[in-house]
Amino acid sequence: MTDLIKKKLEEEIKQLEYELTTELPAEIKKAVALGDLSENAEYHMAKQRQVFVNARLGQLKKRMGELSLVNLANIPHDKIGFGSTITVFDTTKNEEIVYKLVTSEESDVSKGLISTTSPIGRALVGKKEGDTVTVITPNGKRELEILKLLTIHDVAAE
């Protein structure tokens, strides 16, 4: 799972590095050749893009470092953690919901993929089957009863 994310991030890093080292310098050089830089929109846009690309590269490289620290041996076998699939009963909505805890890059609430850093994800991490958690979400307070837990280890064994 994290390998797929790493590959996606590496591709974006490679593309941004190419833009930073090849495309943007060419654009800046072309804009400088047009003359007066104080009123040169092309020059200012290229410089702004250069700042953005540098910042995004920094974020991506930091995230790659964080992902390389993920160690499956540290993920509990009996508690909710990264990669767990959890069936909960939402007493507020009176419905059963299935969530899978994923990284922020993979999260898609409409598919039940929630980030470990989301309010629901943070509330569930470390809990066991039978536990009830109260989650404060942007839409209000929710009570979730954990009905079933499949950890990343259970899924790998299937």
Side-chain angles (χ1 to χ4, degrees):
M1 189 175 344
T2 56
D3 291 337
L4 185 66
I5 298 163
K6 284 181 187 177
K7 186 177 181 193
K8 189 175 160 186
L9 292 177
E10 285 170 352
E11 287 171 7
E12 187 177 350
I13 287 171
K14 189 175 178 181
Q15 187 270 324
L16 289 174
E17 285 177 338
Y18 176 78
E19 181 179 356
L20 190 65
T21 59
T22 307
E23 294 172 359
L24 285 171
E27 282 182 42
I28 291 170
K29 187 176 180 181
K30 191 167 78 176
V32 167
L34 296 175
D36 184 12
L37 296 182
S38 65
E39 295 182 17
N40 188 327
E42 290 86 1
Y43 176 78
H44 293 288
M45 291 293 286
K47 291 302 269 183
Q48 284 178 338
R49 177 70 186 164
Q50 194 175 40
V51 169
F52 170 79
V53 169
N54 267 321
R56 181 70 179 141
L57 275 171
Q59 289 174 330
L60 292 173
K61 288 179 179 180
K62 180 180 181 224
R63 187 67 181 137
M64 285 290 289
E66 292 167 352
L67 287 173
S68 67
L69 297 176
V70 173
N71 183 348
L72 291 180
N74 294 339
I75 297 174
H77 289 261
D78 60 341
K79 294 179 186 172
I80 297 172
F82 171 73
S84 293
T85 302
I86 312 106
T87 304
V88 298
F89 182 75
D90 187 335
T91 57
T92 313
K93 293 182 176 182
N94 202 26
E95 68 179 341
E96 232 177 71
I97 306 168
V98 176
Y99 291 122
K100 181 170 184 175
L101 289 183
V102 296
T103 63
S104 55
E105 290 86 4
E106 297 173 290
S107 68
D108 183 346
V109 177
S110 64
K111 294 179 182 174
L113 303 173
I114 59 170
S115 167
T116 53
T117 59
S118 69
I120 294 173
R122 284 194 314 267
L124 291 172
V125 168
K127 303 297 188 268
K128 296 180 175 189
E129 274 185 28
D131 289 353
T132 301
V133 296
T134 302
V135 185
I136 309 288
T137 67
N139 296 331
K141 202 179 214 183
R142 293 172 64 184
E143 287 259 328
L144 304 176
E145 182 185 340
I146 301 163
L147 302 175
K148 185 177 178 190
L149 165 63
L150 279 174
T151 68
I152 196 168
H153 306 290
D154 298 330
V155 175
E158 288 180 351

